[in-house]
């Protein structure tokens, strides 16, 4: 009785070719095939062997060094076959310069293969390093900007980070939402500057906030703690704009430190929640005055960094307030942010000048058995 076993096309330990390797291999094979057909059509005399030198270099542009080596070996073998055939077809009286040229061409293919393998090896190491850095950036993003929602306390919450560059997934914009003993607390902020220093300061602010948000009953005390953390970590000209939000029993409290005011979406209207008095950013000892709003079920609040307000095309800024309800007022909060990002990218034709952090929350109603709303700065007084 015969048994037929279906084997896997790849041996253990070997992985399928990457798209780049497949493209490079295909282009090189096509070139070899074309040159071979031209040689066959030209007769027994070999005139085009030197063109095969391009095959390993063509593969080296996209493929791995192993693929390049295979292409080079194949090109050398094909070239040597044509050279040998041409030499056997000639008689002694024939000009030997043609045979010498063909032999030189075959040697040139072999040398070109070695050079192409070296080039592909260097390119492959660089590509692997870039891929590793991208993985590290993704890990850093997850550590600094943790995913939000979909539910935090009584709020449906979603966050989104839109990078202005394709090579970086995280910058100096930050956000967080926490369910604390004093209600759901959120922060959104923007570090002055870009690069690693901005990422470092953003991580410091978020680390401090994740601690003090559970320890301070008053949002103004949270601001004071964050201001000291920023002042200890930056120079005289560095700062962080921030807006802090607290939802407690349906009462919304906002303190603003030089940040764009959040937008309240209610029954088709878009209301900018400007602070009662301006305050400087974190790092400049802001003295904040809270703004208090009573929430209704279904209310949504958009927190954003100034990259959204500065997005423009042909000198015209993106009309955030005009489009906010149409883009954000329907579906889930995550759907709303996705719609906003799509509209924004289309508006600027895919070219952003600054990173953008977005947080959208929806108030779904007070918790069952919740106590009366007490603003954060009155919690200590009410308990005493």
């Amino acid at each position: 009785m015969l048994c037929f076993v279906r084997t896997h096309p790849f041996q253990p330990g070997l992985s399928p070719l990457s798209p780049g390797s497949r493209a490079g291999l295909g282009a090189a094979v096509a070139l070899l095939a074309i040159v071979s057909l031209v040689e066959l059509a030209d007769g027994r005399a070999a005139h085009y062997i030197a063109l095969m030198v391009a095959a390993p270099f063509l593969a080296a542009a996209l493929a791995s060094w192993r693929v390049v080596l295979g292409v080079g070996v194949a090109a050398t073998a094909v070239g040597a076959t044509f050279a040998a055939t041409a030499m056997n077809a000639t008689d002694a009286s024939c000009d030997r310069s043609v045979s010498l040229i063909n032999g030189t061409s075959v040697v040139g293919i072999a040398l070109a293969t070695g050079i192409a393998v070296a080039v592909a090896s260097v390119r492959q190491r660089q590509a692997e390093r870039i891929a590793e850095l991208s993985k590290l950036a993704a890990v850093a993003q997850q550590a600094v900007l943790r995913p939000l929602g979909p539910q935090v306390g009584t709020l449906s919450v979603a966050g989104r980070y839109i990078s202005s560059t394709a090579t970086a997934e995280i910058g100096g914009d930050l956000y967080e939402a926490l369910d604390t003993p004093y209600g759901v607390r959120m922060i959104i902020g923007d570090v002055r500057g870009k690069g690693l220093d901005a990422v470092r300061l953003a991580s410091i602010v978020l680390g401090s906030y994740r601690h003090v948000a559970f320890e301070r009953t008053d949002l103004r005390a949270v601001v004071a703690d964050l201001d000291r953390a920023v002042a200890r970590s930056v120079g005289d000209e560095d700062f962080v704009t921030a807006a802090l939000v607290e939802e407690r029993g349906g009462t919304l409290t906002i303190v603003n430190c030089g940040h764009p005011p959040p937008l309240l979406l209610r029954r088709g209207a878009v209301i900018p929640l400007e602070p009662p008095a301006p305050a400087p950013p974190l790092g400049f000892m802001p003295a904040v005055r809270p703004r208090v709003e009573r929430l209704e079920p279904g209310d949504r609040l958009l927190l954003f960094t100034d990259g959204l307000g500065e997005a423009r095309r042909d000198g015209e800024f993106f009309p955030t307030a005009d489009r906010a309800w149409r883009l954000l007022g329907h579906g889930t909060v995550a759907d709303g942010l996705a719609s906003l990002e799509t509209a924004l990218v289309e508006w600027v034709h895919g070219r952003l000048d600054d990173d953008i952090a977005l947080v959208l929350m929806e108030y779904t109603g007070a918790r069952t058995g919740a106590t009366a709303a007490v603003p954060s700065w009155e919690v200590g007084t009410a308990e005493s």
Side-chain angles (χ1 to χ4, degrees):
M1 181 175 181
L2 298 178
C3 296
F4 295 92
V5 180
R6 184 178 181 179
T7 60
H8 195 276
F10 298 103
Q11 296 179 359
L14 297 180
S15 59
L17 294 179
S18 66
S21 291
R22 288 198 298 269
L25 178 60
V29 169
L31 176 63
L32 290 177
I34 292 173
V35 175
S36 298
L37 290 175
V38 172
E39 284 285 11
L40 292 173
D42 192 47
R44 293 185 176 182
H47 296 125
Y48 305 100
I49 295 176
L51 295 178
M52 296 183 182
V53 171
F57 287 114
L58 188 60
L62 296 171
S64 66
W65 70 266
R66 291 183 176 86
V67 172
V68 175
L69 179 59
V71 168
V73 171
T76 304
V78 173
T81 301
F82 279 114
T85 302
M87 185 171 58
N88 293 333
T90 60
D91 54 29
S93 61
C94 182
D95 188 357
R96 296 183 179 180
S97 62
V98 175
S99 298
L100 180 61
I101 293 174
N102 290 338
T104 304
S105 298
V106 173
V107 173
I109 296 173
L111 292 176
T113 298
I115 297 173
V117 167
V119 171
S121 179
V122 172
R123 181 191 54 77
Q124 186 175 355
R125 286 198 299 269
Q126 292 177 341
E128 291 172 352
R129 183 177 181 184
I130 292 174
E132 185 65 23
L133 291 176
S134 298
K135 292 179 182 179
L136 292 175
V139 172
Q141 184 181 37
Q142 293 176 0
V144 177
L145 293 181
R146 300 182 299 196
L148 297 184
Q151 192 77 20
V152 182
T154 59
L155 306 178
S156 297
V157 180
R160 208 170 187 91
Y161 193 98
I162 307 173
S163 177
S164 60
T165 60
T167 56
E169 299 182 4
I170 186 171
D173 293 14
L174 58 98
Y175 55 74
E176 181 62 286
L178 302 169
D179 189 8
T180 75
Y182 313 106
V184 177
R185 286 178 166 178
M186 294 182 289
I187 184 175
I188 191 163
D190 189 358
V191 176
R192 177 184 178 273
K194 297 181 179 181
L196 293 178
D197 288 339
V199 175
R200 179 183 62 83
L201 184 53
S203 65
I204 290 173
V205 173
L206 284 174
S208 299
Y209 176 75
R210 287 164 181 160
H211 173 71
V212 299
F214 288 90
E215 302 296 328
R216 302 289 184 260
T217 61
D218 188 339
L219 280 183
R220 291 175 295 187
V222 175
V223 168
D225 287 340
L226 295 181
D227 177 68
R228 286 191 291 270
V230 171
R232 288 193 299 264
S233 306
V234 300
D236 294 336
E237 297 181 356
D238 296 322
F239 57 84
V240 181
T241 67
L244 284 76
V245 176
E246 175 189 280
E247 183 278 320
R248 182 178 173 87
T251 296
L252 186 70
T253 304
I254 304 171
V255 293
N256 196 312
C257 306
H259 198 78
L263 299 179
L264 177 64
L265 286 68
R266 174 179 291 168
R267 297 193 299 272
V270 180
I271 307 167
L273 300 183
E274 299 281 354
L282 299 173
F284 292 135
M285 302 178 64
V288 294
R289 290 182 57 189
R291 172 164 182 164
V292 181
E293 297 284 337
R294 186 65 186 173
L295 292 175
E296 301 175 4
D299 283 353
R300 291 190 172 187
L301 187 72
L302 175 66
L303 309 174
F304 57 94
T305 54
D306 59 6
L308 178 60
E310 295 173 357
R312 57 185 175 181
R313 68 176 182 193
D314 301 328
E316 186 177 0
F317 292 98
F318 181 75
T320 304
D322 295 339
R323 295 192 178 188
W325 178 259
R326 181 165 59 88
L327 295 172
L328 303 171
H330 309 282
T332 66
V333 288
D335 293 338
L337 290 186
S339 298
L340 176 59
E341 180 180 0
T342 300
L344 177 65
V345 172
E346 291 178 354
W347 177 270
V348 300
H349 302 300
R351 299 183 61 181
L352 291 170
D353 295 328
D354 195 7
D355 294 355
I356 301 172
L358 303 169
V359 176
L360 183 64
M361 53 144 280
E362 179 179 357
Y363 177 64
T364 56
R367 301 181 187 182
T368 304
T371 58
V374 181
S376 64
W377 68 91
E378 295 182 2
V379 171
T381 303
E383 293 175 350
S384 60

